[in-house]
Every structure is written in C-alpha cells, then in structure tokens.
Amino acid sequence: MMDFWIILTAILVASACSILGCFLILRRMALVGDAISHAVLPGIAIAFLMSGTRDSMWMLLGATAFGLLTVFLIQTLQTSGLQSDASIGIVFTALFAVGVLIISLNAQHIDLDLDCVLFGEIAYVPWDTWTLGGNNMGPRAVWMLGITLAVILLLFGLFYKQFKICAFDPAMAVACGIPVLLFHYLLMGMVSMTAVSSFESVGAILVVGMLIIPAATAYLLTHRLGIMIGLSVAVGIVSAVVGYLISYALDASIAGCIVSVAGILFIFALVLAPKNGLIARLARRRSAAQVV
Amino acid sequence: MLDWLISLWSDPNTRWILLGCMLLGLGSGVIGSFTFLRRESLLGDTLAHAALPGVCIAFMLNEVKSASLFLLGALFAGIAAVLCVSAITRWTKIKSDASMGIVLTFFFGVGTVMLTHIQHSGSGSQSGLDKYLFGQAAAMVTSDVYILMGVSVLLIVAAILLFKEFKLISFDPGFARGIGLPVGILEHTMLILTTVAVAAGIQAVGVVLVAALLITPAAAARYWTDRLPVMLAFAGLFGALSGASGAAISTLGEGIPTGPVTVLVATLLFVLSLLFAPGRGWFSKILRHRNLKSTYAQSAERSALNAAEGGTPK
C-alpha cells in the first residue's frame, strides 16, 4: 500500500509537470519554471507561519501568489531593460533567500526541513494523511496533486487551441483577439500550483526535472503538439515508475532516481530519435556523401 | 553597533571568514560581469547544481571532507556540465535555456542519488556534506578560508591580466576572431574561471544562491556606467559589500544563515541601483522624461504663438 501511494504521487507529479513542460519548452521559458519552483518557498514559509499548521489550502494559495509574483517581477525587470537571464536569476535567488531566512529564523515554529525543500522526501507521503470527519481519506499530497492535475486538464481541455496559438505564435494570437497575457499568467499560475503542491512531498528538483526533461525528450521525437504532450506524459510516468524501482534497489533518494531515469531516457532520445537523433543524422550524412 | 564591529574584528576566526567572504564577493562580482555581458548569467546556476555529483564523487573516492578536493570535484563536474549544455544546443533543436535546465536537473538528480547513497551507507564522517551544499560560512575552518581567498585572488588577477581579451570576446566575438585572438580558448578560460568562482562560492552561500553572487552585483553595476572598467569596479565593490555584510550579520544570531543574508544585501544594492542610479536608474529616467515633456511643450507653445501672429515658425 505504501508503495502504491508513493508511485501514485510520483505519477501525478510527472503527469502534471510533463503537460506544462511542453508549453514552457515551446515558449522558451524552461528556466522560468526553475525560477518559480524555487521562488514559492517564501510563500510556503509565510503561509506556514500565519496559519500555524500544515493546512494545505492556505499554503497552496500563498505560494501560488508568490509564483505569480515571481513571474510579474521577472517581466517588470525585463520591460525596464534588463536582459531576461539576469532578471530570472536575480528574482528567484532573492525570493529563495527570503524563504530560507524566514525558515531558519523561525526554525522552532516551522517543521519544514531545509534539506527536504531541495531533495524532497517522497517516502514520507503515505504517513501524512488527510482526515475528513474522522475518515482517513488517504495521503494529503495525493489529494493536492490530484486537484492540481484536474485543474490543468480542465483548463487545457477548455482552451487547448488558445494555449497552442500562444505557444507557437504570440503575435498571431494577439491579432486573433486572444488575451495572451491572461493565458500567460494562467500557464504560470498552473506551474506555481504544481510547484507548491509537489514541493514538500517531492522537492524542488523533481518538479524542475519533470517540467523540463520529459517535454524536451518528446520535443526531439515529434513535430506535433498533441503527440508531444502524449509522449511527454509517457516519458514522465515511465521515469516515475522505473525511478522508484531503482531507488528501492539502490536505497537512494526517490526523487533523484526519477530525475536520473528521465535524463537517461533523454539521452536515448538524443541518440536514437528516428529523424533528429545522432545516429539518424550520421547515417543521413553518410548516404548524402555517397550520393555525391 | 561599534561594539559589534570591534568584536567582529577582534575574533580572529570571524575576521578571516569576513575577509574570505569579502574577497569571494569581489572575485565573483568581477567574473560575473563578463558572464552578465555575454548573457550567460544562468550558467552559474547550472554550474552550481552540477557540482553536486562532483562533490559526492570526490567524497566517495577519499572518504574525507576537504574543501580543496570538493573544489576539484565541483570543477570537473562543472566542466562536464558545460560541455553537455553546448553539445545539446549544437546537436538538437533544443534551445540553450532548456538544455541548461536538462543538464542542471539531471546532474543534480544523479548527485542526490549519490548523496543519499553515501548517507545511507553511513560511513560516519559524511555528516556536514549537506552543510557544505547549503552553505554556512560560519562553519568554515581556517584552511577553507585560505582556499576561498586564494581562489578569489586568482579570479581577480586573471580578470585583470586578461582584461582586454575578455572585453573583446564579451562585446564582439566576431571581431576578436578577426584580429586573430584564440576565441575558443579564451571562452573556455572564462568558463573555467566562472566554474571556479561557483565552486568556491557554494561553500559560503549554498548551491541555489551561489548564482546570485555572479548575477546580482554585475546587474546592479550595469546601471551606474557604460564603461567596462568602471562596471567591474562597481560589481566588485557590490560583491565585496554583500559578502562582508552577509558574514558579519550572520554572526549576530545562532540561526542566521550567511548565504541568504549575502544574497539579500546584494539584492538590496541592486534595487537601490535600479531606482537611484544616475542616467539609467528609474528616477532619473522619469525626471528626464518630465524635462523632455516640458521642453517640448514650451517649444510647441512658442511655435503655435508664432503661427498665430502670422510669423514664420522657427
């Protein structure tokens, strides 16, 4: 049962992140995902201090607000003339520093372990259960991630076309009358929500890894967005399951193993992809040379 | 206040740590200016995360905690990470930001696996390995500080000696190649220097925040000037100021971590520069805008008057 809950949590994180990651990669905002997943820390810490409990609803709201604040600050700095890489770097390090400072100053009030923030401890997920009216409803993280995934599926189900146009050609989207800025913030809000709901259970690094690596793997394999999302989710889920099994065998961090498996799948795709892979390219170059 | 400053200076250990952090801030501010101008600021973040497997391997091979070995491990891992990033960007259609993200998380993930493996195998001396990763300058011993200072001096000297070359490859690599400079070698030298700065900085401020030492002082300095030597001086000054105040403030209380305070001081300096720098700052922009507006309004009024009087507008 324990294994079931852990794998389920990992699969939920992987699916939510893999879907969002496709859009981040296409919009060239991969590192904004990285920034958000670190910058929600002060939100989590403040929500912790104010509500005094691990009440997830407050945490979800507070930290999602910080995620959007990150995006807003990055954009304000960019429009004021600072280059984008520097504005991302400045904003997320400053917010992360605030978070670490709040946690270390209130160490006796907050039972948030700083190690867990980065590495995550997904193995504790089954112990942290949510009770409703005396009934044990299962692990809290599973509920939070489930809700997040449902929101993501709902929004993409409703506005798939709009998100697609915004991802490929924002100028055309504006011309079509699509509120691009609104969809931008919707996407970023979903990234923040995912980052927050998986933060405590799986750690920032798994979130970032799952946001970028599966989507990039799928990006190498196809030219169609629909297929890319499907492949990305598949890569995410396979890494989650295989990574868990490997971590069991090695007695090592589950989140780390999952990201490593995803990275290895990426390397496979890099070498073996049917059209753009290294081997396919070499073969093409050789046959071209023979023709000449 | 004065007592506190005196007590800082009278305790030899604190004095060394203070000096070390100050020099580190100076060195990474200077090197960071070049990476800032080359728009590669986030490479620092990638290098910092990628250092983890290097540090773990260095520990596994020797079973001791030694700052110089960790530095070497972080250096090699960083170089490997940079090579991976450029390989992915060159061979695939994936853009540089995504390839940095892939390499960053993959290396860090592998590093986490190694770290937990070390911790669970329980060789006893592994405690403190994670301290190294989260950065606590107060936990440094004198030999660590010597290494930190040596590295920082190396960075500053290298930046001074190679100033002209670095300037060229930052602003116009094509021209640099044209006049026969070995651009590839210089670019790699700069990358290695950046890696050294990051590897040294991890111990003082931690993996996540070390990127800020490279980025924030340089970005703040950019607001004050258009000349590279002045910018380097400002970046070094801001870096040194943040490093020193980070180390000093963290001695005030038991639970105050060095890294976040250093980064927050740097951010504060950045915000002040953003708002108040003459010329490029926010306030001076607004002032200039307003002056321009009123001058234009006056001249428009004058020409309107002239036209009304039947005269030829000037």
Side-chain angles (χ1 to χ4, degrees), chain A residues 16-29:
Chain A
C17 291
S18 314
I19 299 174
L20 293 171
C22 290
F23 291 89
L24 289 181
I25 294 262
L26 289 173
R27 300 205 58 178
R28 300 185 187 183
M29 290 174 51

Side-chain angles (χ1 to χ4, degrees), chain A residues 103-126:
Chain A
I103 293 180
S104 15
L105 287 182
N106 300 285
Q108 64 274 41
H109 303 302
I110 303 183
D111 60 344
L112 251 182
D113 193 355
L114 268 180
D115 292 10
C116 275
V117 166
L118 272 188
F119 307 125
E121 208 29 282
I122 198 172
Y124 295 153
V125 162

Side-chain angles (χ1 to χ4, degrees), chain B residues 24 27-28 31-32 35 40-41 43-52 54-55 70-83 107 132 148 151-152 154-155 166 187-203 210-211 213-214:
Chain B
L24 175 75
S28 23
I31 289 295
T35 51
E40 284 173 344
S41 297
L43 209 57
D45 193 35
T46 313
L47 290 172
H49 283 83
L52 181 60
V55 170
F70 286 176
L71 202 68
L72 268 183
L75 191 65
F76 280 115
I79 293 169
V82 171
L83 290 179
F107 272 65
Y132 180 80
L148 201 64
V151 164
S152 315
L154 169 82
L155 292 177
F166 281 175
E187 275 177 346
H188 283 110
T189 314
M190 191 187 278
L191 276 176
I192 289 174
L193 287 177
T194 316
T195 317
V196 171
V198 167
I202 290 176
Q203 201 178 13
V210 72
L213 280 188
L214 289 171

Side-chain angles (χ1 to χ4, degrees), chain A residues 28 83 85 251 253 281, chain B residues 36 39 41 91 95 116 120:
Chain A
R28 300 185 187 183
Q83 60 208 42
D85 60 332
D251 186 21
S253 151
R281 274 190 197 194
Chain B
F36 174 82
R39 296 175 184 259
S41 297
W91 290 339
K95 310 292 175 302
T116 40
H120 292 177

Side-chain angles (χ1 to χ4, degrees), chain A residues 28 30 34 83 85-86 90 93 97 100 104 115 119 205 209 213 216 219 223 250-251 253 256-257 259-260 263 270 281, chain B residues 36 39-41 45 91-93 95 97 102 105-106 108-110 112-113 116-117 120 130 134 209 212 219 255 257 260:
Chain A
R28 300 185 187 183
D34 181 26
Q83 60 208 42
D85 60 332
I90 292 172
T93 48
V100 175
S104 15
D115 292 10
F119 307 125
I205 195 63
I213 302 180
Y219 186 57
H223 287 294
L250 285 181
D251 186 21
S253 151
C257 283
V259 173
S260 307
L270 186 74
R281 274 190 197 194
Chain B
F36 174 82
R39 296 175 184 259
E40 284 173 344
S41 297
D45 193 35
W91 290 339
T92 68
K93 53 181 175 171
K95 310 292 175 302
D97 67 325
I102 294 165
T105 46
F106 179 55
F108 197 72
V110 173
T112 318
V113 172
T116 40
H117 195 70
H120 292 177
D130 45 350
F134 282 100
L209 296 176

Side-chain angles (χ1 to χ4, degrees), chain A residues 106-179:
Chain A
N106 300 285
Q108 64 274 41
H109 303 302
I110 303 183
D111 60 344
L112 251 182
D113 193 355
L114 268 180
D115 292 10
C116 275
V117 166
L118 272 188
F119 307 125
E121 208 29 282
I122 198 172
Y124 295 153
V125 162
W127 307 104
D128 187 13
T129 53
W130 183 47
T131 43
L132 186 71
N135 296 320
N136 190 344
M137 307 289 288
R140 213 165 38 97
V142 171
W143 278 97
M144 277 169 75
L145 284 163
I147 293 171
T148 312
L149 186 61
V151 169
I152 292 171
L153 289 177
L154 182 75
L155 281 174
F156 277 120
L158 288 176
F159 302 113
Y160 180 67
K161 208 166 52 189
Q162 282 86 340
F163 276 114
K164 190 174 171 179
I165 299 179
C166 289
F168 284 103
D169 196 342
M172 177 178 142
V174 175
C176 293
I178 297 169

Side-chain angles (χ1 to χ4, degrees), chain A residues 11 14 20 32-33 37 86 94 100 108 112 116 139 147 150 184 196 217 232 241-242 251:
Chain A
I11 288 178
L20 293 171
V32 178
S37 54
V100 175
Q108 64 274 41
L112 251 182
C116 275
I147 293 171
H184 176 70
V196 181
T217 312
S232 172
V241 176
V242 177
D251 186 21

Side-chain angles (χ1 to χ4, degrees), chain A residues 193-275:
Chain A
M193 222 174 130
T194 314
V196 181
S197 46
S198 27
F199 205 90
E200 231 196 312
S201 47
V202 305
I205 195 63
L206 182 56
V207 181
V208 185
M210 285 291 117
L211 274 175
I212 303 176
I213 302 180
T217 312
Y219 186 57
L220 289 177
L221 297 174
T222 175
H223 287 294
R224 300 185 54 82
L225 180 61
I227 300 175
M228 180 176 162
I229 295 177
L231 277 176
S232 172
V233 174
V235 170
I237 291 177
V238 168
S239 342
V241 176
V242 177
Y244 179 71
L245 296 176
I246 290 180
S247 80
Y248 198 78
L250 285 181
D251 186 21
S253 151
I254 300 171
C257 283
I258 293 175
V259 173
S260 307
V261 171
I264 292 165
L265 289 176
F266 173 79
I267 296 172
F268 276 135
L270 186 74
V271 178
L272 300 172
K275 270 185 196 157

